[in-house]
Amino acid sequence: MLLGERWRFIVYALLGVALSPVLMSVARLRKHAARGGTGGARVLVIPIMTRVGDLVCATTVFRALKLQYPKCRLSVLAAKNAAGIIRNNPRIDELIVMNNPPFKGVLGRGRLFWFLYQQRFDACVALANNPFGNLATLASAAPVRIKTTVSERTLAEKLTDWWNTSRVNYEHGSFLQAHYVHLLAMLGVPFSSPIKEVFVKKEGERHADAFLRTHALHDTPLVVGITVTAGNRVKEWPLERFAELADRMVVQNNARVVFIDSERNIDIVTRVISMMAHGSSAVAATEFTLEELPSLIKRLHLFVAVDTGSIYIAHALGIPLVDIIGPVEPNEQPPKDEKSIQVLPPPPHAPSSFVIKRPGQESARRAAARAISVDAVYDAFADLMKRRAQKSTI
């Protein structure tokens, strides 16, 4: 947590300790007055709120909950920078953006907790072990408060985890999305295979169609999307390797390449295209909002990136992908199926970047990403192309 956020947490944690007897008493009273069982309950889900990929993975919970209880009212708490990726999700009845007015700032955080209290949630599910989830679930005074815990907890977690009625331990290195669905067992939701979902909007569909027409991509046999940046720079692959990879796709596969990124990274994308020998076969796509991005990604034939949010969007949409894993633990969250290939660094590089566990040394994480060669990534791409060709002949 940043310094300001840390002090904000301390202030409200102390307030939470003082008010916990009252809030827990209210929760017990609400339990006795519960409305019509779980089927029509009000449920709050608190995912990892600030990262796009984590929010996409949380959609497995929204899906499982609504399939079991279609009449329940689902509210989801998210941060402004990532909320757009779930804004069009029809399974969500209410999206609460925690750093939008009136919830911004120190006093705004208090207004957020008061708002949660007023909603009279029947259950709260905190997917991560972040102690903020403890504060939010306590403030809601929901009768059922479920939270992920880990064996190596921070002091803040140890002091506040007891505010929850159920705590489910997550084993580092296991499949996190399966753990998310297992949390719902406390609400009577049977386990089902975790399936991520991303939805499009009409404006995004129009924008994507116009983009493809403008760049003469609508009839192109092979359009490959590439994202060269990541939310965490230690996971990023060298730009010159992306340029070399794109050139090989153009020359050997007659591909057109779309570099997908946010508008703030337009200079980086432009630099990569300028490094290419065949830059005329590449275009930049940096003008799409997060809400519109799925409409563009779903029109690609393949997608390549380091392990970042766009990888999970592509996977949810069924787009074949190459995930340049780098330092990321491959078993926790990254896609791994017949349409997805993970490119891991060679030995002795071990995973040092995790979803929940504290990361390893920065030097080790950077080295793992740089240890992956262009040949390794292109070979994975060629393997996906072969699978695609085989599927088209069936």
Side-chain angles (χ1 to χ4, degrees):
M1 288 186 287
L2 298 176
L3 183 60
E5 184 67 24
R6 183 177 292 115
W7 281 110
R8 190 181 307 168
F9 172 80
I10 291 172
V11 169
Y12 282 104
L14 292 173
L15 186 60
V17 170
L19 294 177
S20 59
V22 175
L23 291 168
M24 289 183 175
S25 296
V26 171
R28 284 191 289 270
L29 291 172
R30 288 180 175 179
K31 182 177 183 180
H32 293 307
R35 302 178 295 277
T38 311
R42 297 172 63 93
V43 181
L44 172 66
V45 174
I46 306 171
I48 299 175
M49 296 177 288
T50 59
R51 303 193 298 246
V52 172
D54 293 291
L55 270 183
V56 173
C57 290
T59 62
T60 59
V61 172
F62 313 155
R63 178 181 181 274
L65 183 64
K66 282 288 192 169
L67 287 179
Q68 181 68 16
Y69 302 117
K71 293 184 179 180
C72 79
R73 179 171 174 80
L74 172 61
S75 299
V76 178
L77 190 61
K80 183 178 181 179
N81 67 308
I85 199 58
I86 57 173
R87 197 176 300 280
N88 303 313
N89 192 316
R91 302 194 191 276
I92 299 174
D93 298 293
E94 178 186 35
L95 180 59
I96 306 168
V97 182
M98 62 172 290
N99 45 357
N100 268 359
F103 303 139
K104 292 179 67 174
V106 176
L107 294 179
R109 186 58 50 83
R111 285 191 289 269
L112 172 64
F113 292 143
W114 175 243
F115 173 81
L116 297 180
Y117 176 83
Q118 291 178 305
Q119 301 312 296
R120 299 183 64 88
F121 291 112
D122 297 288
C124 288
V125 185
L127 303 187
N129 66 319
N130 191 313
F132 172 80
N134 291 333
L135 271 176
T137 56
L138 176 68
S140 74
V144 179
R145 302 180 299 280
I146 306 165
K147 181 179 179 288
T148 290
T149 59
V150 292
S151 55
E152 299 176 5
R153 293 183 293 168
T154 64
L155 179 60
E157 292 171 67
K158 291 177 181 178
L159 293 175
T160 57
D161 274 349
W162 64 275
W163 288 341
N164 299 283
T165 58
S166 298
R167 296 173 293 278
V168 183
N169 191 63
Y170 168 71
E171 294 293 335
H172 292 297
S174 61
F175 189 38
L176 189 59
Q177 291 150 65
H179 167 80
Y180 286 165
V181 179
H182 277 302
L183 291 174
L184 300 179
M186 308 297 174
L187 300 178
V189 177
F191 181 80
S192 58
S193 180
I195 297 176
K196 299 188 289 291
E197 295 180 315
V198 171
F199 297 89
V200 299
K201 58 186 293 187
K202 290 181 179 179
E203 294 84 349
E205 294 290 277
R206 288 194 290 266
H207 190 176
D209 284 337
F211 178 87
L212 264 61
R213 286 195 301 272
T214 299
H215 297 283
L217 294 169
H218 53 290
D219 290 327
T220 303
L222 181 60
V223 181
V224 180
I226 295 180
T227 296
V228 301
T229 64
N232 188 342
R233 292 203 169 186
V234 298
K235 297 192 298 183
E236 292 182 348
W237 206 42
L239 298 182
E240 62 273 14
R241 296 187 195 177
F242 273 117
E244 182 182 344
L245 176 68
D247 273 328
R248 288 181 67 173
M249 292 173 176
V250 171
V251 173
Q252 298 185 36
N253 303 93
N254 197 29
R256 294 286 304 279
V257 180
V258 180
F259 286 98
I260 300 171
D261 220 309
S262 63
E263 195 170 13
R264 67 177 179 274
N265 291 324
I266 180 62
D267 290 343
I268 297 175
V269 171
T270 302
R271 194 186 325 155
V272 175
I273 294 175
S274 70
M275 293 177 181
M276 293 176 60
H278 303 275
S280 59
S281 293
V283 296
T286 59
E287 65 270 35
F288 287 81
T289 66
L290 194 51
E291 291 92 332
E292 296 172 334
L293 188 56
S295 293
L296 176 61
I297 290 180
K298 82 171 194 177
R299 287 163 168 78
L300 302 173
H301 297 118
L302 287 100
F303 186 73
V304 181
V306 296
D307 197 80
T308 190
S310 51
I311 278 285
Y312 296 92
I313 297 173
H315 188 243
L317 294 168
I319 304 302
L321 62 90
V322 176
D323 189 343
I324 306 172
I325 289 287
V328 174
E329 167 56 64
N331 297 309
E332 284 188 342
Q333 192 159 267
K336 185 164 52 175
D337 54 29
E338 70 282 355
K339 283 190 172 183
S340 311
I341 297 181
Q342 299 178 353
V343 184
L344 280 67
H349 298 281
S352 54
S353 182
F354 313 93
V355 180
I356 292 178
K357 185 180 177 180
R358 291 182 180 179
Q361 292 185 345
E362 182 175 325
S363 58
R365 286 179 283 161
R366 289 186 181 277
R370 290 179 174 274
I372 296 174
S373 67
V374 175
D375 284 343
V377 178
Y378 182 80
D379 287 346
F381 165 79
D383 190 357
L384 278 181
M385 287 290 296
K386 187 182 300 183
R387 297 181 195 180
R388 179 170 175 258
Q390 291 171 346
K391 186 176 180 180
S392 65
T393 59
I394 297 176

